[in-house]
Amino acid sequence: MGAFFVVAAGVLLGKRIALREAEAWSAGVRHVADAIRAAGAAETREMLHAGEVEGREDARARVSAFESFCLVRAAEHETIEGRIARREAELATAAARVVTAREQADAQKKRATELEAEIARQRDEILALTRGTLAALEREAGETAEDVRAALIEAELEDARMHAAQSVRAADHAPVDEAGRDAKRIMGIAVGRFSGHYLTERLHSLIPFAPGATPEAINSILGPGDANLAAIGGVAGVTLTLVETRDAIRLEGLDGVGREVARRVLARLMREPRLGADAAEVERGARAISKQLDVELDDLGRRAFRALEIPPAHAEIVRLVGRLNYRTSYTQNQWKHAIEAGFLCGMMAEELDLDLKVARRAALMHDIGKALTHELDGSHAVIGADYARRLGESELVANAIGAHHTEEPFNSTYALLVAASDAMSGARPGARREQTDNYVQRLDDLERIGGHFHGVDRAFAVQGGRELRVYVKEDRVNDEKCVEL
């Protein structure tokens, strides 16, 4: 028990000692806190004083800057107000000038109106005086102004006609230039040197049966239901029909080679009517004759190239040249015409020191398009030129083919020579023949056209229509008008 009290007394003593120590520490802390609080208050007072001083200095600087700015703006405002005052004074002056100008313009407009009225009055007076003067002149002259004007116009036209007639007469009597003389000389030499075959021929369009042919032989030739004619026409590309009198067969078609095939097949059937028993056999025979004719066409084409002594062309061109043998123009055989034109063109080329073979080649092929006209649309000259270009002929030759009827421009002398040789071959006497009806109609047209001209009494076509002889009324047509006529 005593020990317990000793321990308890020790504990109480320890607590009291700790309490004293805590109170001493608390007093020290309070003392430190008071020192810190006093230092903070002193520092706060110093900071407030520094801030107050700094704020006053900044405010003072700001006020000074604002006052400077206000002074500058006030100076600017004074300058602007001065400019505004000057502009207002200028506007007032301009307004005064505008008012003055408007008053002047109104005065001028009024004056112009008065002048226009005066001009109109004077114009009316002039018109009245002119009418009176014109009427007086017409009364004195006995003619109206329109009559005088028409007479003056007619006199001027008559004078112009007279001068034109004199110019035409002077041109007709002017000496021929050197180039014209050379051209005529060369053409004359070529025509004089050439000697060719002038016989004309016509393709058959009506094939009569042999005299005394029996109805059985005719039916054998025609075949059942005219089957043989249809078979032949299908191969040859022509139409064959029996005439109403049943004594001949009519051929209708533009292809001369096809017509020749049909003619040969019919000639064979007429010699051997028994061959017409089978239409299929007739068709095979027609095809065989067509192939045989193709061989002949190739031979004709090669003969033409050999005759002109020029190298052969492409096989298709050679055949086209051969096909010309079965094409005519106003009854002139075109194969012979091509060879003739080739010789003429070559002779003219020699006179001009040009290439003889090129000239002959172009002239020989100038009408190959006629062998294709029934197959292709267009001018035979253009078609022939296109074929020649595609089949390897030179541009000189192709252009001469295309230009000989002026469908293409003349790009070389050879083209001009081909055109001249073509015209010379076709226009020579006896080269071509027209039907009687067409010939008479052409003469009548020439006389009718010639007789319709003013002052013509009568007109007669002579020299086969190559010349028109005109008789005029002497009291209406003088020498100058004759030249014009």
Side-chain angles (χ1 to χ4, degrees), residues 189-259:
I189 291 173
V191 171
R193 287 175 57 193
F194 179 73
S195 175
H197 180 73
Y198 292 166
L199 177 64
T200 59
E201 60 185 28
R202 299 175 63 85
L203 293 176
H204 295 285
S205 60
L206 196 67
I207 300 178
F209 292 112
T214 62
E216 291 77 9
I218 294 176
N219 291 332
S220 177
I221 294 172
L222 299 177
D226 295 344
N228 291 345
L229 298 185
I232 297 171
V235 174
V238 297
T239 302
L240 293 85
T241 55
L242 182 67
V243 300
E244 296 179 356
T245 56
R246 299 183 63 84
D247 60 351
I249 296 175
R250 181 182 295 107
L251 296 181
E252 298 177 2
L254 298 176
D255 186 0
V257 176
R259 291 159 63 94

Side-chain angles (χ1 to χ4, degrees), residues 116-138:
E116 288 178 356
E118 180 65 19
I119 291 171
R121 185 184 62 78
Q122 293 180 359
R123 185 183 295 112
D124 293 338
E125 292 180 357
I126 292 172
L127 289 176
L129 292 173
T130 302
R131 293 193 191 97
T133 304
L134 182 60
L137 289 174
E138 288 179 350

Side-chain angles (χ1 to χ4, degrees), residues 359-378:
R360 286 184 174 182
R361 190 180 194 85
L364 175 65
M365 293 189 287
H366 78 280
D367 272 344
I368 58 173
K370 286 186 177 180
L372 295 162
T373 304
H374 69 286
E375 299 174 0
L376 300 174
D377 294 332

